[in-house]
């Protein structure tokens, strides 16, 4: 264990003026998207879908009256609870929905569920902390479902520990998931949306986006950074018609049908409704940040 911890730290190998920096780490398994592409071909569902120019909302148009069936939503980081309900909400509105996760196979049941209801939903393997993986994701989604109108970053990684106990690899890994991945995804989405002068980018934060509490260093640093990203990006691309917003979920989010008496939880269906509402806000009254919690939740008590 001590040897493995040592190997995960960055090392430097120098040859003259050139230095090679390296470290050892576990390989992150990411689903191969060829599997789903083959399934779609078998079902004759691989015909590319692109949004027609008429589907783009003119500047000044009423966003709340847009036809969602002409839009594509991309959710990066889809898990039980919040991510699943975002997918259901967007599909119910008529949007084409792309789901991205390192393990796309675990989304098969959700894809089948939404497809049975008439939705056009595809799942893709992607490592949000790898810019080549994200670039490939955006290209594939655009080819198959159309350029995204709404992108939600919902990845969260956390390894508890105090400042004195936290090791650099654990700190870096949490920062990569909570902040770096958000930057890579938001940048790629913004680069695609700016020429089209439309779109929404929603970055998902938590209580730790605003408060750094003990034992939550690895979550707070990344979430603080994600919030800063949202603020800077909003100032830079709002004038181009891109709505960037940061949402703070100050609650434990319910991720199953099991109810525990006396245990306060946010209902993910309602969170999904609120996120969809952000996407539908008129340009003259955009929100840059919203915080959500149940009526009986104590403020700033969760991670």
């Amino acid at each position: 264990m001590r040897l493995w911890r040592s190997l995960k730290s960055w090392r430097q190998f120098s040859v003259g003026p050139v230095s090679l920096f390296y470290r050892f780490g576990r390989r992150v398994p990411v689903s191969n998207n060829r599997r789903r592409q083959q399934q779609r071909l078998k079902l004759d569902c691989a015909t590319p879908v692109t949004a027609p120019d008429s589907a783009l909302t003119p500047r000044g148009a009423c966003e709340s009256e847009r036809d969602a069936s002409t839009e594509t939503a991309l959710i990066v980081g889809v898990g039980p609870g919040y991510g699943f309900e975002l997918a259901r909400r967007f599909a119910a509105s008529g949007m084409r929905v792309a789901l991205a996760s390192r393990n796309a196979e675990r989304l098969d049941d959700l894809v089948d569920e939404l497809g049975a209801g008439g939705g056009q939903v595809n799942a893709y393997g992607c490592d949000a902390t790898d810019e080549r993986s994200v670039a490939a994701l955006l290209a594939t989604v655009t080819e198959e479902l159309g350029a995204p109108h709404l992108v939600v970053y919902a990845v969260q990684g956390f390894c508890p520990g105090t400042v004195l106990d936290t090791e650099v690899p654990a700190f870096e890994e949490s920062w990569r998931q909570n902040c770096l991945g958000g930057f890579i995804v938001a940048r790629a989405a913004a680069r695609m949306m700016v020429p089209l002068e439309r779109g929404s980018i929603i970055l998902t934060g938590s209580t730790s986006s605003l408060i750094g509490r003990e034992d939550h260093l690895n979550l707070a640093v990344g979430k603080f950074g994600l919030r800063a990203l949202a603020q800077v990006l909003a100032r830079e691309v709002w004038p181009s018609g891109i709505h960037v917003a940061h949402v703070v979920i100050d609650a434990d989010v319910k991720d199953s049908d099991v109810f525990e008496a006396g245990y306060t939880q946010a209902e993910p269906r309602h969170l999904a409704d609120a996120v969809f509402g952000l996407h539908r806000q008129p340009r003259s009254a955009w929100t840059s940040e919203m915080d959500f919690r149940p009526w009986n939740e104590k403020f700033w008590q969760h991670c």
Side-chain angles (χ1 to χ4, degrees):
M1 180 62 71
R2 184 174 301 175
L3 175 61
W4 176 241
R5 289 178 179 175
S6 175
L7 291 173
K8 289 193 296 182
S9 298
W10 285 103
R11 298 168 181 273
Q12 178 179 348
F13 176 75
S14 299
V15 180
V18 178
S19 294
L20 171 67
F21 293 89
Y22 68 96
R23 69 169 185 170
F24 292 89
R26 292 187 178 88
R27 180 178 176 273
V28 177
V30 178
S31 297
N32 188 326
N33 290 323
R34 293 193 186 94
R35 184 184 68 90
R36 294 213 64 84
Q37 291 169 357
Q38 291 169 353
Q39 288 180 350
R40 287 193 290 273
L41 284 170
K42 291 179 181 179
L43 296 173
D44 295 325
C45 295
T47 303
V49 178
T50 55
D53 292 339
S54 60
L56 304 181
T57 303
R59 298 193 73 143
C62 182
E63 280 78 357
S64 62
E65 297 178 358
R66 288 200 303 259
D67 180 3
S69 66
T70 65
E71 297 186 329
T72 298
L74 167 62
I75 308 168
V76 179
V78 183
Y82 180 63
F84 279 33
E85 291 303 329
L86 286 174
R88 293 183 176 111
R89 180 63 180 86
F90 299 160
S93 75
M95 302 177 83
R96 300 180 291 268
V97 182
L99 311 176
S101 174
R102 287 176 175 176
N103 182 0
E105 285 79 7
R106 67 185 180 84
L107 303 176
D108 285 350
D109 289 345
L110 179 62
V111 171
D112 292 341
E113 171 197 327
L114 299 180
Q120 187 170 1
V121 182
N122 295 344
Y124 305 90
C126 177
D127 178 1
T129 66
D130 182 338
E131 59 182 319
R132 290 176 298 181
S133 182
V134 171
L137 170 68
L138 266 293
T140 304
V141 170
T142 298
E143 178 184 359
E144 297 184 354
L145 300 177
H149 298 71
L150 169 61
V151 174
V152 180
Y153 188 76
V155 175
Q156 179 164 301
F158 176 46
C159 178
T162 67
V163 175
L164 300 182
D165 296 333
T166 297
E167 297 178 346
V168 170
F171 178 91
E172 182 179 3
E173 180 59 26
S174 293
W175 167 78
R176 289 176 64 85
Q177 294 182 47
N178 294 315
C179 185
L180 178 63
F183 160 71
I184 294 173
V185 170
R187 183 187 64 175
R191 285 175 173 175
M192 178 175 289
M193 292 175 176
V194 165
L196 301 175
E197 297 186 306
R198 59 96 178 119
S200 301
I201 301 172
I202 311 297
L203 304 177
T204 306
S206 67
T207 308
S208 288
S209 300
L210 295 95
I211 297 175
R213 59 168 47 86
E214 62 274 11
D215 295 325
H216 286 73
L217 172 71
N218 290 334
L219 185 59
V221 169
K223 290 299 185 180
F224 264 67
L226 188 71
R227 187 182 185 222
L229 167 68
Q231 292 181 1
V232 173
L233 188 60
R235 286 165 170 78
E236 293 178 350
V237 301
W238 273 31
S240 298
I242 316 305
H243 185 187
V244 178
H246 178 252
V247 297
V248 177
I249 301 179
D250 180 33
D252 180 42
V253 180
K254 181 180 177 183
D255 62 3
S256 70
D257 294 329
V258 178
F259 175 76
E260 296 183 35
Y263 190 58
T264 303
Q265 288 184 307
E267 172 56 62
R269 291 184 295 109
H270 301 154
L271 295 175
D273 287 341
V275 170
F276 185 75
L278 279 172
H279 176 56
R280 278 290 182 261
Q281 286 183 333
R283 295 182 183 223
S284 63
W286 274 353
T287 296
S288 62
E289 182 170 84
M290 295 183 72
D291 57 285
F292 307 126
R293 67 186 57 80
W295 83 101
N296 57 350
E297 173 71 53
K298 291 184 179 180
F299 281 55
W300 317 124
Q301 294 298 307
H302 280 279
C303 60

